[in-house]
Amino acid sequence: MKLSEELIYRGFMAETTIANPEDLDSRESKKFYWGADPSADSLTIGNLAALMMCACFVRHGYEPYLLVGGATGQIGDPKENGERDLKSLEEVEHNKKCIREQIERVINAGDGEVRDHETPGLVMVDNLDWFSKINYLEFLREIGKNFSMTQLLDRQFVQNRIGEGGSGISYAEFSYTLIQGYDFLHLYREYGVSLQLCGADQYGNCTSGIHLISKLENATADVWSTPLVIDPVTGRKFGKSEGNAVWLASSDNGSGNYTSVYDFYQFWMNQPDAAVENLLKIYTLLEKDEIEEILAKHVEHPELRLAQKALARGVTAVVHGAGSAETVENLSGTLFNKETDFSEFSEDELTEFAAFLPVVAKGAMLVDALVATGLADSKKKAREFIAQGAISINGTKIQEDLAVNQTAIIKKGKNKFAIVK
C-alpha cells in the first residue's frame, strides 16, 4: 500500500490541511514533526496511537523530528475545564528523559525489536533548547504581533474557559498556542520541516505554526491529524486526563504512572470483539492481509479470541519488545489453562513469572499480601474478597486470613495474580 492508502486503512486520518491524501505519496519534503509535552513520566496508549501513525510515515520514507516539550511542558497544554498545575523544573526534566526513551522505542520498532537509538533520519529535539535563548520582547514583536486576539479568542478551548460558567484562563495557558506555533516555525527554518502530525485534539494549536510559516516565510506548511481513540467500554478517550490511563512505562519511574507488562497485555486481551478490528489496524504492525486472515479465523472461532491474542501480542511487542511479548503470552496461556496445577511450578518458573507479576515475600498474612501486591485497595476490600471466595492460593480457594508461608501463586477473580516467594 501507498502511504495515503495505509493511513486511511488504519484510520489515521482526521482534520488536515492536505486536500488530497495522495499528495503525501509524492510530497517533495518528506520531513515531519510530532511533539509530546512531559506532563507525566510516561506516555499512554493515547499517545501511542499518534506514535503508530508517525511510524507509518517513517515506514514510507519520511524523516521524523520528534519533539519533547521541555519549554511547553513548563506551561502545560490548556485543558477544556481548568488550569493545569505547573510542574517543577526538576519534574519536567525527569519526565523528558523518561518519555524520550519511550518515543524512540516505538518509532524504532520494526518487528518488535528496538534498533539503535542513532537510527539514521531520527532526530530528537527539545523546544527548551531554543526558547531558553529567546528574548521576550523579540518574541512579542516577531510572533505575538502576527496573531490577532480575535483569532485566538475563537479557539474552542478558550471559548470553553472564558464563556459562561467557564473557569477562566491564565495568560500563560492562553499563550500556549503561540509557543507551539513557534516550534513549527523554528523547525521549518532550522530543518525544513513542513508537515506536523498530531492528535485531533491538537489540530487548532498546530495550525498556528502554519499561520506563522505563511506570514513570516511566505511558505506553505501542513498539518495531518489522527482521530482520538475511544475506549469502547467507557466511551472516553484513552488518556491520563480521563482517569483511565494505560501507561507505556512497565515499572515505576517515581510517580506511580506505570502499567506492568502483564496488565498491559491483559488490557488488550480484554478488548471486545466490536473494537478489536480497529485496534489491530491502529496499534499493531500487522499488514492488511494478515489482519484480514486473523479476523476471518476469529469469526469462525470467536471463543478462541484469536484477534485479541494477535492484538495483545502485537502491541506488547511494539512497546516492550518481542521477547517480553512472547514471555507474557506464554505466561498468560499457563495461568489461564484450566489444567494448570499451580502447586507444581518450580522455583525457577516462579522467578520468571515474578518479572511480570507483583511479588510479596513468604510469611505475609494473606490480607496484607493482597494489599501489598495491588490485588486489593485496602484491608477491608481484601477481607471482602476472601469472604466472597474470590481468592485462591495455588488453585485452592481460601476462606480466611492466614499466613502464606510457602512459595505460591495467589489468584483474585478471573485474571489477577501475584507471586509469593
Side-chain angles (χ1 to χ4, degrees), residues 207-226:
T207 59
S208 297
I210 293 176
H211 174 75
L212 287 175
I213 291 169
S214 175
K215 295 231 11 171
L216 298 178
E217 299 296 319
N218 194 29
T220 300
D222 290 297
V223 173
W224 181 280
S225 71
T226 187

Side-chain angles (χ1 to χ4, degrees), residues 4-14 49 53 56 224-229 277-278 281-282:
S4 58
E5 295 170 333
E6 185 169 1
L7 290 171
I8 293 170
Y9 170 72
R10 294 189 182 275
F12 291 143
M13 181 178 178
M53 173 182 65
C56 185
W224 181 280
S225 71
T226 187
L228 302 181
V229 181
E277 178 178 353
N278 287 338
K281 294 174 181 178
I282 295 169

